[in-house]
Amino acid sequence: MKALVALILLVQLPIHQAVPAAPPAPLGCDDPESEAAAEFAVNYINGHSHHGYKFALNRIDNIRVLSQGLNNDIIFLELDLLETTCHILSPTPLANCTVRSFTQHAVEGDCDVKLQKQDGKLSVLASKCHSHADSSEDVLQLCPDCPLLASLNNTDVLTTVTAALNDHNSKTADAYLRLLEIGRARIQYHPVHNVSVEFAVAATNCSAEEAQNNVEACQLLPGDQSNFGFCTATRVTRPSEDLRVDCQLYGHQVPTPDTPFPSQDTSAGLVPSAAQGFTNHNLRVSHNNPVASESSSSEFPTSVLSAKSVAKRAVAEVAQHDKVPRPVGFVPPPPPPCPGKIRHFKI
C-alpha cells in the first residue's frame, strides 16, 4: 500500500519543462535589418519600372515580420519614396541620383512591398506602388514664382518637345534621335512665360542628315546596339522667343534589371504618359513575382498599414509569450519606433 501511495505521489510531481524563450523584439523602422530590406525593395521597384524616373527611399513608414519557420520570414514594408532626376533608363547608380528639391514640385511614391527572407537571402514576392505630386499650394507658398508641373498632353508641352527634338536633330551630324517618352513638364506664366520639359530619346539607324530624306525609314537600333538618352529643354514665348536644348546619350547598354529597356509600344516612338495626360511620373504599378514562393497566403494584410496595430502586436507578444520570470515592477519594452526617420523632406 505504501509503495502504491509513493508511486501516486511521484506521478503527481510536476515534470520540469523548458521555459519557452521570449520572441525576438519586433523590428523598428530604422533598424539596420529594416533598412537593408527597404534598400532591396527600392532597387527592385526601380529595376521593374519602364517609365519615368528612379525613386529613392525617403522613409520607412511601417514594417511587419511574420515567421514562417526556421530562417524563413515574410516581411511587409510600407515605404515613402521621392522622385530623383535620373531617368529609369539612365545607367547612373541610384546612390548618385539627386532627389528633386521641394521647389521643383516634388513627386512622392507610396509603396507596399512583400518580401521573403530565407536563409539570409531576400526576394520580393509582390509590390504595389502609386505616386502623387505635392500640392501646388505647398510649392507656391514656399516659392511663389516657381513653375508647376503641367499635364504631359498640354499643347505647350507637346509643342516644346517637338521643337526641342527638331532643333537638336537639325544641329547634329550624329544619329537621328526619336522620342521615347515625355518624363516631366513645368510651365511658368509670370514674370515670363516659359515651358520646361524633360524627355527620353533613343538613337536610330539613320544619321540626322539621312532622316531628312526619309524619316519613316529610321528605326531604333536593336537591343544589342541600343543607345538611349535624355533631353532637357526650355522654351520662352514671352516677352521674346528663345529655345534652349540639351541632349545627352548614355551610350550602349547591356540590359540589366536596373536598366530595363522600354517595351515595344514605347520603342515605337509613342508617348504613353502624355497620351494618358499624367501630370507626373506614373508609379501606379503592381508586380507579383511568379518565381518566388512562400507559405503565407495573405498579400498585404490590413494590419501592415497601421502603425498602431504593430504596437499592439508587440505588447501582446510580450504578454503572451514571455514566460521568463521578471522582477517585480517589470515594464515590457516599448514597441518599435515607426514610422522611421525622414531622409530628405516630407510632402
Side-chain angles (χ1 to χ4, degrees):
M1 184 67 178
K2 291 182 179 181
L4 179 60
V5 172
L7 179 61
I8 293 174
L9 291 175
L10 179 63
V11 171
Q12 291 179 341
L13 287 177
I15 300 175
H16 175 72
Q17 295 181 349
V19 178
L27 283 179
C29 281
D30 292 331
D31 288 352
E33 186 175 346
S34 304
E35 294 185 339
E39 179 182 1
F40 186 87
V42 172
N43 287 334
Y44 178 91
I45 291 166
N46 286 327
H48 287 77
S49 178
H50 296 270
H51 302 288
Y53 299 87
K54 296 181 182 181
F55 276 71
L57 178 66
N58 190 35
R59 179 170 67 172
I60 302 174
D61 265 351
N62 210 346
I63 182 169
R64 182 185 177 190
V65 181
L66 300 179
S67 176
Q68 303 293 295
L70 184 63
N71 296 325
N72 186 7
D73 293 324
I74 301 299
I75 303 173
F76 296 94
L77 284 173
E78 263 193 281
L79 304 177
D80 285 345
L81 313 181
L82 286 175
E83 185 187 74
T84 72
T85 58
C86 292
H87 192 268
I88 203 68
L89 293 174
S90 170
T92 304
L94 180 61
N96 297 335
C97 294
T98 303
V99 170
R100 290 190 188 275
S101 67
F102 183 86
T103 55
Q104 289 178 308
H105 207 161
V107 174
E108 180 181 45
D110 298 313
C111 293
D112 293 330
V113 187
K114 181 181 181 181
L115 307 94
Q116 182 175 31
K117 187 174 184 180
Q118 190 167 24
D119 297 325
K121 184 178 180 180
L122 288 166
S123 60
V124 172
L125 303 177
S127 62
K128 293 180 181 179
C129 297
H130 70 274
S131 62
H132 64 277
D134 190 16
S135 70
S136 300
E137 291 77 11
D138 287 348
V139 178
L140 294 178
Q141 184 176 4
L142 184 65
C143 182
D145 294 329
C146 284
L148 300 174
L149 283 173
S151 177
L152 300 182
N153 61 0
N154 179 285
T155 301
D156 281 344
V157 171
L158 297 176
T159 300
T160 301
V161 171
T162 301
L165 195 54
N166 289 340
D167 181 79
H168 173 83
N169 282 326
S170 68
K171 296 178 179 178
T172 182
D174 297 328
Y176 178 77
L177 301 184
R178 289 184 63 179
L179 176 67
L180 286 180
E181 70 171 8
I182 303 174
R184 228 172 188 263
R186 293 192 299 162
I187 299 179
Q188 184 179 34
Y189 295 95
H190 304 286
V192 296
H193 184 273
N194 70 68
V195 183
S196 299
V197 295
E198 300 177 7
F199 53 96
V201 294
T204 67
N205 58 354
C206 297
S207 68
E209 183 178 358
E210 291 171 338
Q212 294 178 3
N213 300 323
N214 186 7
V215 68
E216 297 301 326
C218 299
Q219 302 297 321
L220 294 183
L221 297 173
D224 58 348
Q225 303 173 32
S226 59
N227 188 1
F228 299 112
F230 190 70
C231 298
T232 59
T234 301
R235 183 173 67 97
V236 178
T237 60
R238 292 191 305 268
S240 60
E241 289 281 343
D242 183 46
L243 178 64
R244 298 184 181 183
V245 185
D246 180 41
C247 291
Q248 301 290 332
L249 289 176
Y250 300 136
H252 171 61
Q253 300 176 60
V254 177
T256 68
D258 293 324
T259 56
F261 287 152
S263 57
Q264 289 301 313
D265 62 337
T266 305
S267 297
L270 303 179
V271 191
S273 294
Q276 300 178 47
F278 294 128
T279 57
N280 55 273
H281 169 43
N282 178 28
L283 197 63
R284 287 186 290 273
V285 296
S286 297
H287 184 81
N288 291 290
N289 191 338
V291 178
S293 62
E294 39 77 31
S295 58
S296 177
S297 60
S298 58
E299 191 67 15
F300 294 103
T302 304
S303 57
V304 77
L305 304 179
S306 170
K308 292 182 179 179
S309 64
V310 175
K312 291 179 180 178
R313 173 176 169 267
V315 174
E317 284 181 345
V318 172
Q320 181 178 356
H321 299 293
D322 192 355
K323 303 298 183 180
V324 179
R326 299 293 186 180
V328 176
F330 168 74
V331 179
C338 277
K341 63 186 177 183
I342 296 176
R343 290 160 172 76
H344 301 284
F345 52 85
K346 181 175 176 59
I347 292 183

